[in-house]
Amino acid sequence: MTSLLIMLSRLWYRLFGSRTLRAYEQSCIDIWRQSLSEEGRNVLDAQLKQPHFVQRQAADAKVCFFWFNKPSAPVFKNASPDLHAATILLKSKDTDAEALRAKIFVHRGRFFSLEFPKRPRRYAELHQMNPTTLRAISIETHIQL
């Protein structure tokens, strides 16, 4: 029964799941990618080329990456569970409001999630930001991958 549910879940996400990232989410991944070593960039690129889908949780405050099959892409050297790899600051170019933070997590050597302490759309609304103009402005790397 479990294998049937897994098969249906994979089929559902292949048909209706999303690989599309919002501009500010992509901006976070881009600035993190630039901060990685060449080897780290190659690992991240290989992981993101594999068939995956994006699942948003907690009203878009958490963006998780899942792979359809057992991933064959290389993993980062540090394969510890639940690594907070980097913190990114995002700002909107149309306001001087406080920056929104985003955290990048790697789990067992694989890029796993992008997490915001507050819902990005709600944060933008409270600070009169346009969520479409949110862009990563700086990064603090916590772990070298």
Side-chain angles (χ1 to χ4, degrees):
M1 180 66 166
T2 303
S3 61
L4 176 63
L5 291 175
I6 290 171
M7 184 181 75
L8 290 174
S9 175
R10 286 183 178 165
L11 178 62
W12 174 264
Y13 280 106
R14 282 191 189 268
L15 295 174
F16 305 109
S18 175
R19 289 191 67 182
T20 306
L21 294 172
R22 296 192 173 109
Y24 60 87
E25 295 165 347
Q26 186 64 54
S27 177
C28 289
I29 293 171
D30 291 344
I31 197 170
W32 178 51
R33 184 184 178 282
Q34 292 170 7
S35 76
L36 294 172
S37 66
E38 184 177 347
E39 181 182 353
R41 282 192 300 273
N42 292 337
V43 169
L44 179 62
D45 292 345
Q47 288 181 8
L48 292 176
K49 283 181 184 173
Q50 295 211 264
H52 68 277
F53 65 92
V54 176
Q55 183 183 70
R56 290 182 177 82
Q57 302 172 2
D60 296 346
K62 186 172 185 176
V63 182
C64 297
F65 292 74
F66 295 97
W67 281 262
F68 287 112
N69 301 318
K70 186 175 180 179
S72 61
V75 295
F76 293 108
K77 285 181 181 178
N78 190 338
S80 300
D82 302 325
L83 295 173
H84 176 192
T87 300
I88 298 161
L89 295 180
L90 296 114
K91 278 204 150 224
S92 178
K93 62 182 174 185
D94 54 352
T95 184
D96 289 331
E98 186 177 321
L100 173 63
R101 292 186 181 278
K103 297 177 181 177
I104 291 198
F105 285 90
V106 173
H107 181 70
R108 299 196 189 276
R110 297 196 193 290
F111 171 50
F112 178 70
S113 68
L114 179 59
E115 300 180 16
F116 302 90
K118 301 187 184 327
R119 297 175 294 166
R121 285 192 180 150
R122 179 76 175 129
Y123 188 86
E125 180 183 297
L126 287 173
H127 295 281
Q128 290 79 42
M129 295 177 171
N130 180 349
T132 61
T133 64
L134 276 175
R135 295 293 179 266
I137 58 165
S138 69
I139 183 167
E140 179 183 346
T141 301
H142 303 294
I143 295 172
Q144 294 299 322
L145 296 173

